[in-house]
Amino acid sequence: MEPLEPLDLRTALRTTGSVRAFTDEAVPLDVVARVLDTARFAPSGGNKQGWRVIVVQDPTVRAQIDALANLGWREYAHMTAAGQRPFAADDTGHWPGPSIDLEQARRTPAPWSFMDGLATVPVLMVVCVDLRVVAAVDVEADRIHIAGGGSIYPFVWNLLLSARAEGLGGVMTTFLVRQEAAAGDLLGLPPYVAIASLVAMGHPVHQPTKLSRKPVAEFATLDHYNGPAVFVTT
Ligand SMILES: Cc1cc2nc3c(=O)[nH]c(=O)nc-3n(C[C@H](O)[C@H](O)[C@H](O)COP(=O)(O)O)c2cc1C
């Protein structure tokens, strides 16, 4: 492997894109452990660190996880094809329900090289969270709940940044969440543990560094939601 160029923090934050294609080079478990060892410094509500990570190596379990995640991907793909933003809220903040027959979508393949090869990616990790320690402060909100995720997704993102520091790349996926009950049975998850993400990782075929993101003025305002935009001037 080539020696890694050190990346300054700002550059790393601005250039870490999703990697979904990996070389055949294996990633030893001690490297995975090192990635986890850096990722664990992520913040979480009340510093409760409710993450649990299952590194899936067994080929049989990998194949089952792959099949379950693909059911979620099929729902997502067919909803997208039908013109619906998958699992997003409507103008009231609620999910309006599917615009398609989800059962039929799950039965209908949606070819994609990444999802078709999921069982064979170098590193496959199921990132779970202990719901007994999340700070889900919006539990009573009459809209899609969001705050609890704040106690786990910074950790998932840290995993990907930490992977980059090891010359690895990866992507967080959430398709498996759609089959949480079956995946939970397979992995032995207790009822108070939720699946947050299935992370794929390995040596990138190509490390994307030119990311497409909205400028600050499109999402930051002063004093009010409809206040004047914040512009970057320096
Ligand atoms: C919460 C979350 C869920 C995501 N779920 C998936 C997923 O299920 N499958 C996938 O391929 N990518 C998933 N992604 C990756 C996004 O598609 C990616 O971050 C976004 O498109 C930006 O692309 P880029 O990183 O290549 O710039 C997810 C990202 C986040 C933050």
Side-chain angles (χ1 to χ4, degrees):
M1 201 179 76
E2 296 295 308
L4 286 177
E5 288 290 318
L7 276 180
D8 69 88
L9 180 59
R10 189 180 283 114
T11 304
L13 291 171
R14 294 175 72 104
T15 64
T16 303
S18 303
V19 174
R20 298 186 180 86
F22 308 100
T23 69
D24 291 337
E25 187 174 345
V27 180
L29 191 55
D30 63 313
V31 175
V32 176
R34 222 158 50 215
V35 167
L36 292 165
D37 191 36
T38 298
R40 72 192 167 90
F41 290 92
S44 57
N47 197 20
K48 293 300 181 200
Q49 305 165 54
W51 37 79
R52 283 293 305 264
V53 177
I54 302 171
V55 181
V56 185
Q57 291 188 323
D58 182 320
T60 312
V61 183
R62 275 178 164 245
Q64 287 168 291
I65 292 290
D66 173 328
L68 291 171
N70 262 284
L71 296 178
W73 157 238
R74 288 176 182 182
E75 292 177 336
Y76 187 99
H78 294 300
M79 263 193 225
T80 306
Q84 184 175 23
R85 176 74 209 136
F87 305 109
D90 60 16
D91 289 350
T92 71
H94 300 92
W95 186 46
S99 62
I100 58 166
D101 179 346
L102 287 182
E103 210 178 299
Q104 192 188 334
R106 290 192 290 272
R107 284 195 304 266
T108 311
W112 183 17
S113 53
F114 168 56
M115 288 307 289
D116 295 339
L118 200 57
T120 59
V121 297
V123 182
L124 202 54
M125 286 187 249
V126 181
V127 180
C128 304
V129 60
D130 185 333
L131 297 172
R132 297 172 306 178
V133 298
V134 297
V137 289
D138 59 355
V139 274
E140 291 163 311
D142 179 22
R143 55 154 172 78
I144 287 181
H145 296 164
I146 194 78
S151 288
I152 189 65
Y153 290 109
F155 172 80
V156 182
W157 181 233
N158 253 22
L159 267 182
L160 296 170
L161 289 173
S162 162
R164 182 131 187 242
E166 298 285 345
L168 303 171
V171 62
M172 77 167 88
T173 75
T174 45
F175 300 136
L176 185 64
V177 176
R178 290 289 301 161
Q179 293 293 323
E180 185 175 80
D185 283 348
L186 180 66
L187 301 170
L189 304 184
Y192 52 82
V193 170
I195 294 174
S197 184
L198 177 65
V199 175
M201 202 176 273
H203 291 276
V205 169
H206 164 69
Q207 172 69 58
T209 53
K210 282 211 171 340
L211 312 186
S212 161
R213 301 290 190 265
K214 293 176 192 170
V216 172
E218 277 189 35
F219 63 82
T221 51
L222 279 174
D223 296 329
H224 189 277
Y225 189 83
N226 294 319
V230 174
F231 285 94
V232 178
T233 52
T234 50

